Amino acid sequence: MFGEHRYSVRATWTGDRGTGTSGYRDYDRAVTIEIDGKPDLLASSDKPFRGDPARWNPEDLLLAALSECHLLSYLHVCVGVGVVVTGYADEASGTMLEDGKGGGAFTEVVLRPRVTVADASMVDAATTAHAKAHELCFIANSVNFPVRHEPVIVVD
């Protein structure tokens, strides 16, 4: 599986209200994100940036990508160390700061996975597995801000 992997996506702006971008308030931030063979994802900018709060925004998608990548990396690590995971739910949050010039950046993301394991003897290894999962997560390795973990491990 070692090697280069390529990904592609189509993002189509669907927010022309008839006058294009003639003014900042004259267009909708609606976007349709498409990948062949997958359901379309309806997106927008975040509400503070004149977006539709009912649609996914780039900040949501980044946070979701980090959470899911850690989850999948974690499950992989657990198999290798003999931890049987029977449940996993994450309550992730992120902080983004605007720079006052129209831009900004995330300053950190905190993942709060609640992991259920099959046996009490697995709790220590399940806790330790988060560090290895973080090392393996492609998305966490691609961002320039800290991604912290505050796991809770419970026994089934």
Side-chain angles (χ1 to χ4, degrees), residues 102-138:
F106 271 81
T107 57
E108 84 168 348
V109 162
V110 180
L111 306 179
R112 294 179 184 87
R114 181 176 176 83
V115 178
T116 305
V117 296
D119 189 85
S121 65
M122 300 174 179
V123 170
D124 289 342
T127 302
T128 303
H130 283 284
K132 183 63 178 176
H134 179 71
E135 290 175 19
L136 297 178
C137 175
F138 302 132

Side-chain angles (χ1 to χ4, degrees), residues 53-125:
R55 291 176 172 235
W56 289 84
N57 63 60
E59 297 82 10
D60 294 334
L61 294 168
L62 177 62
L63 188 58
L66 285 162
S67 179
E68 182 183 2
C69 186
H70 184 80
L71 182 159
L72 295 171
S73 298
Y74 182 78
L75 296 178
H76 170 77
V77 170
C78 284
V79 168
V81 297
V83 172
V84 177
V85 175
T86 59
Y88 185 116
D90 186 14
E91 295 286 336
S93 63
T95 303
M96 184 186 77
L97 289 178
E98 292 182 67
D99 63 11
K101 299 180 248 173
F106 271 81
T107 57
E108 84 168 348
V109 162
V110 180
L111 306 179
R112 294 179 184 87
R114 181 176 176 83
V115 178
T116 305
V117 296
D119 189 85
S121 65
M122 300 174 179
V123 170
D124 289 342

